[in-house]
mmCIF file with all atom_site columns, all heavy atoms in Angstrom:
data_model
loop_
_atom_site.group_PDB
_atom_site.id
_atom_site.type_symbol
_atom_site.label_atom_id
_atom_site.label_alt_id
_atom_site.label_comp_id
_atom_site.label_asym_id
_atom_site.label_entity_id
_atom_site.label_seq_id
_atom_site.pdbx_PDB_ins_code
_atom_site.Cartn_x
_atom_site.Cartn_y
_atom_site.Cartn_z
_atom_site.occupancy
_atom_site.B_iso_or_equiv
_atom_site.pdbx_formal_charge
_atom_site.auth_seq_id
_atom_site.auth_comp_id
_atom_site.auth_asym_id
_atom_site.auth_atom_id
_atom_site.pdbx_PDB_model_num
ATOM 1  N N   . VAL J 1 33 ? 4.143  40.341 23.576 1.00 97.00 ? 33 VAL J N   1
ATOM 2  C CA  . VAL J 1 33 ? 4.275  40.936 24.934 1.00 97.00 ? 33 VAL J CA  1
ATOM 3  C C   . VAL J 1 33 ? 5.272  42.075 24.872 1.00 97.00 ? 33 VAL J C   1
ATOM 4  O O   . VAL J 1 33 ? 5.005  43.099 25.477 1.00 97.00 ? 33 VAL J O   1
ATOM 5  C CB  . VAL J 1 33 ? 4.684  39.781 25.988 1.00 97.00 ? 33 VAL J CB  1
ATOM 6  C CG1 . VAL J 1 33 ? 5.023  40.444 27.301 1.00 97.00 ? 33 VAL J CG1 1
ATOM 7  C CG2 . VAL J 1 33 ? 3.535  38.798 26.103 1.00 97.00 ? 33 VAL J CG2 1
ATOM 8  N N   . LEU J 1 34 ? 6.429  41.842 24.225 1.00 97.00 ? 34 LEU J N   1
ATOM 9  C CA  . LEU J 1 34 ? 7.501  42.933 24.164 1.00 97.00 ? 34 LEU J CA  1
ATOM 10 C C   . LEU J 1 34 ? 6.990  44.171 23.487 1.00 97.00 ? 34 LEU J C   1
ATOM 11 O O   . LEU J 1 34 ? 7.358  45.273 23.815 1.00 97.00 ? 34 LEU J O   1
ATOM 12 C CB  . LEU J 1 34 ? 8.701  42.362 23.462 1.00 97.00 ? 34 LEU J CB  1
ATOM 13 C CG  . LEU J 1 34 ? 9.444  41.354 24.183 1.00 97.00 ? 34 LEU J CG  1
ATOM 14 C CD1 . LEU J 1 34 ? 10.692 40.922 23.415 1.00 97.00 ? 34 LEU J CD1 1
ATOM 15 C CD2 . LEU J 1 34 ? 9.907  41.840 25.540 1.00 97.00 ? 34 LEU J CD2 1
ATOM 16 N N   . ILE J 1 35 ? 6.058  44.032 22.491 1.00 97.00 ? 35 ILE J N   1
ATOM 17 C CA  . ILE J 1 35 ? 5.496  45.238 21.799 1.00 97.00 ? 35 ILE J CA  1
ATOM 18 C C   . ILE J 1 35 ? 4.284  45.713 22.588 1.00 97.00 ? 35 ILE J C   1
ATOM 19 O O   . ILE J 1 35 ? 4.068  46.872 22.796 1.00 97.00 ? 35 ILE J O   1
ATOM 20 C CB  . ILE J 1 35 ? 5.262  44.937 20.327 1.00 97.00 ? 35 ILE J CB  1
ATOM 21 C CG1 . ILE J 1 35 ? 6.548  44.563 19.586 1.00 97.00 ? 35 ILE J CG1 1
ATOM 22 C CG2 . ILE J 1 35 ? 4.655  46.079 19.688 1.00 97.00 ? 35 ILE J CG2 1
ATOM 23 C CD1 . ILE J 1 35 ? 6.352  43.925 18.308 1.00 97.00 ? 35 ILE J CD1 1
ATOM 24 N N   . GLY J 1 36 ? 3.368  44.797 22.868 1.00 96.00 ? 36 GLY J N   1
ATOM 25 C CA  . GLY J 1 36 ? 2.017  45.162 23.301 1.00 96.00 ? 36 GLY J CA  1
ATOM 26 C C   . GLY J 1 36 ? 2.054  45.732 24.741 1.00 96.00 ? 36 GLY J C   1
ATOM 27 O O   . GLY J 1 36 ? 1.192  46.608 25.119 1.00 96.00 ? 36 GLY J O   1
ATOM 28 N N   . LEU J 1 37 ? 2.937  45.208 25.645 1.00 97.00 ? 37 LEU J N   1
ATOM 29 C CA  . LEU J 1 37 ? 2.896  45.675 27.057 1.00 97.00 ? 37 LEU J CA  1
ATOM 30 C C   . LEU J 1 37 ? 3.280  47.152 27.110 1.00 97.00 ? 37 LEU J C   1
ATOM 31 O O   . LEU J 1 37 ? 2.634  47.920 27.748 1.00 97.00 ? 37 LEU J O   1
ATOM 32 C CB  . LEU J 1 37 ? 3.852  44.806 27.858 1.00 97.00 ? 37 LEU J CB  1
ATOM 33 C CG  . LEU J 1 37 ? 3.979  45.164 29.386 1.00 97.00 ? 37 LEU J CG  1
ATOM 34 C CD1 . LEU J 1 37 ? 2.617  44.953 29.962 1.00 97.00 ? 37 LEU J CD1 1
ATOM 35 C CD2 . LEU J 1 37 ? 5.043  44.371 30.055 1.00 97.00 ? 37 LEU J CD2 1
ATOM 36 N N   . PRO J 1 38 ? 4.403  47.613 26.528 1.00 97.00 ? 38 PRO J N   1
ATOM 37 C CA  . PRO J 1 38 ? 4.647  49.065 26.528 1.00 97.00 ? 38 PRO J CA  1
ATOM 38 C C   . PRO J 1 38 ? 3.621  49.892 25.971 1.00 97.00 ? 38 PRO J C   1
ATOM 39 O O   . PRO J 1 38 ? 3.307  50.973 26.356 1.00 97.00 ? 38 PRO J O   1
ATOM 40 C CB  . PRO J 1 38 ? 6.019  49.276 25.883 1.00 97.00 ? 38 PRO J CB  1
ATOM 41 C CG  . PRO J 1 38 ? 6.588  47.891 25.562 1.00 97.00 ? 38 PRO J CG  1
ATOM 42 C CD  . PRO J 1 38 ? 5.514  46.908 25.907 1.00 97.00 ? 38 PRO J CD  1
ATOM 43 N N   . LEU J 1 39 ? 3.089  49.413 24.694 1.00 97.00 ? 39 LEU J N   1
ATOM 44 C CA  . LEU J 1 39 ? 2.028  50.145 24.097 1.00 97.00 ? 39 LEU J CA  1
ATOM 45 C C   . LEU J 1 39 ? 0.732  50.344 24.924 1.00 97.00 ? 39 LEU J C   1
ATOM 46 O O   . LEU J 1 39 ? 0.184  51.405 25.072 1.00 97.00 ? 39 LEU J O   1
ATOM 47 C CB  . LEU J 1 39 ? 1.701  49.493 22.695 1.00 97.00 ? 39 LEU J CB  1
ATOM 48 C CG  . LEU J 1 39 ? 2.617  49.778 21.600 1.00 97.00 ? 39 LEU J CG  1
ATOM 49 C CD1 . LEU J 1 39 ? 2.147  48.976 20.335 1.00 97.00 ? 39 LEU J CD1 1
ATOM 50 C CD2 . LEU J 1 39 ? 2.897  51.262 21.316 1.00 97.00 ? 39 LEU J CD2 1
ATOM 51 N N   . GLY J 1 40 ? 0.405  49.269 25.664 1.00 96.00 ? 40 GLY J N   1
ATOM 52 C CA  . GLY J 1 40 ? -0.716 49.255 26.572 1.00 96.00 ? 40 GLY J CA  1
ATOM 53 C C   . GLY J 1 40 ? -0.517 50.216 27.655 1.00 96.00 ? 40 GLY J C   1
ATOM 54 O O   . GLY J 1 40 ? -1.396 50.983 28.062 1.00 96.00 ? 40 GLY J O   1
ATOM 55 N N   . VAL J 1 41 ? 0.713  50.319 28.225 1.00 97.00 ? 41 VAL J N   1
ATOM 56 C CA  . VAL J 1 41 ? 1.100  51.258 29.331 1.00 97.00 ? 41 VAL J CA  1
ATOM 57 C C   . VAL J 1 41 ? 1.038  52.663 28.813 1.00 97.00 ? 41 VAL J C   1
ATOM 58 O O   . VAL J 1 41 ? 0.391  53.513 29.472 1.00 97.00 ? 41 VAL J O   1
ATOM 59 C CB  . VAL J 1 41 ? 2.438  50.927 29.951 1.00 97.00 ? 41 VAL J CB  1
ATOM 60 C CG1 . VAL J 1 41 ? 2.917  51.973 30.858 1.00 97.00 ? 41 VAL J CG1 1
ATOM 61 C CG2 . VAL J 1 41 ? 2.435  49.540 30.580 1.00 97.00 ? 41 VAL J CG2 1
#
Side-chain angles (χ1 to χ4, degrees):
V33 170
L34 290 176
I35 298 167
L37 183 66
L39 285 178
V41 171

